[in-house]
Amino acid sequence: MAVSQSINKVVADDVVGPADPASLKGKTISFVGAFTVSSGSTDVLVTPVVLEAK
């Protein structure tokens, strides 16, 4: 498994996975993440590492 796939699995299992979408309605979501921008593209990809709902 590539490093990027391993990171995505950890994020999915430990950051995004535990969030119950139904419980987030009406809450303010904040996150900390790492981002990348591909050369020649205006798209920004953010990988969350911390996700909070208040």
Side-chain angles (χ1 to χ4, degrees), residues 10-48:
V10 169
V11 169
D13 292 347
D14 297 345
V15 180
V16 178
D20 174 21
S23 71
L24 301 176
K25 186 173 183 176
K27 293 187 178 179
T28 300
I29 306 297
S30 61
F31 68 93
V32 176
F35 70 93
T36 59
V37 179
S38 297
S39 178
S41 175
T42 58
D43 295 339
V44 176
L45 175 63
V46 178
T47 301

